[in-house]
Amino acid sequence: MGDTHAWTAAPAAAEQARSVLAAAWSCAVTAEGGREELVGSHTVADDGRVLLHVPEDSALLAAALCAPRGEPSAVLEFADVAPVPVRSRIRARLWLAGRLAVEDGHLAFRPTRAVLRRPSGAVVVDVDEFTAAAPDPLALAEARLLTHLADCHDDAVQRLTRLVEPDSLHGAVRVRPLAVDRHGLTLRIERLRDHGDVRLPFHAPADEIAQLTERVHVLLAQAGTVSCPRALQRQRTDGDG
């Protein structure tokens, strides 16, 4: 195990899309001219199908039962929202186009097209890759992990800024943990009028919580060998940190 940033991989689009799908608590469904917002009403099968548990009087269920040409088309939209309060909390959006069918009293949605919009732009995800991909192993624990890091270990977050290029910290008034996956930790750097994100890659993937703890400790050890950035020193002096 080395203490260098040799590992620079990031989640593939299909993996990130499946992670958004796995962690999302709500979704918007548009079908046959109608739209419904569902909260806590969907689950995801291993093959990427989305199972929608809707009430008996749902217009979506009626559309699926009465569609003149069989399974109606639909679009599902999911938002990936940062669990820690930051500016622009939506980190990504996932749109799935496909068809609805009634199975065992609930709606089963099989995607035929997937589009993932990230800050860098939108990408069409190959459906076969989407179906075969698995969510990031930390996806379901990410909200708890980041909230704990932000609420209980802000000193560690500030120490990690020593690994950030000084130019990225110019004018910084607040730094918060934005995202974590098996490949790295992302920090949101907020300035008075804008913000930016910086990714700190792990030296090796973290496939479970114990490995994640070790990876973060390695980053903190690296940060301990770097002097505190002047921008953050001024921030603390001004009482904003």
Side-chain angles (χ1 to χ4, degrees):
M1 180 183 68
D3 290 346
T4 66
H5 286 181
W7 181 263
T8 58
E15 180 182 344
Q16 186 177 359
R18 288 299 297 266
S19 298
V20 172
L21 183 59
W25 178 244
S26 64
C27 69
V29 185
T30 303
E32 299 296 317
R35 179 180 174 92
E36 291 191 25
E37 302 281 345
L38 303 179
V39 179
S41 301
H42 74 274
T43 55
V44 184
D46 290 341
D47 62 359
R49 286 180 303 127
V50 182
L51 307 180
L52 303 172
H53 306 276
V54 298
E56 293 182 357
D57 60 352
S58 168
L60 294 174
L61 185 58
L65 290 171
C66 303
R69 294 182 298 277
E71 300 177 353
S73 59
V75 175
L76 275 59
E77 179 182 347
F78 301 85
D80 175 27
V81 183
V84 175
V86 293
R87 296 176 188 164
S88 303
R89 290 184 70 172
I90 296 181
R91 304 178 297 188
R93 290 188 184 274
L94 173 66
W95 287 274
L96 299 177
R99 309 198 72 82
L100 288 171
V102 179
E103 295 182 3
D104 300 325
H106 59 255
L107 291 173
F109 173 85
R110 185 177 297 279
T112 56
R113 180 178 173 86
V115 177
L116 179 68
R117 178 175 290 279
R118 300 175 285 194
S120 58
V123 58
V124 176
V125 181
D126 181 83
V127 174
D128 290 336
E129 293 180 4
F130 174 83
T131 300
D136 185 272
L138 304 177
L140 296 181
E142 184 195 25
R144 173 174 56 85
L145 293 168
L146 288 182
T147 301
H148 177 75
L149 180 60
D151 292 346
C152 303
H153 299 286
D154 184 64
D155 57 333
V157 175
Q158 302 310 315
R159 196 184 320 161
L160 288 173
T161 62
R162 301 180 183 184
L163 300 176
V164 177
E165 291 294 331
D167 288 347
S168 297
L169 292 171
H170 181 72
V173 297
R174 188 171 73 158
V175 179
R176 303 281 276 171
L178 177 71
V180 67
D181 55 62
R182 65 193 295 261
H183 301 291
L185 173 69
T186 301
L187 302 179
R188 166 64 54 82
I189 300 172
E190 296 183 348
R191 307 175 188 89
L192 286 177
R193 295 181 177 83
D194 61 7
H195 60 267
D197 301 333
V198 175
R199 185 170 176 83
L200 302 179
F202 300 142
H203 66 272
D207 293 326
E208 56 186 30
I209 303 299
Q211 291 180 344
L212 173 65
T213 300
E214 188 273 340
R215 305 301 188 259
V216 174
H217 284 168
V218 169
L219 290 178
L220 289 170
Q222 293 174 338
T225 66
V226 182
S227 61
C228 183
R230 293 180 180 178
L232 270 295
Q233 285 178 334
R234 288 196 298 271
Q235 173 182 322
R236 292 167 186 166
T237 300
D238 294 339
D240 294 328

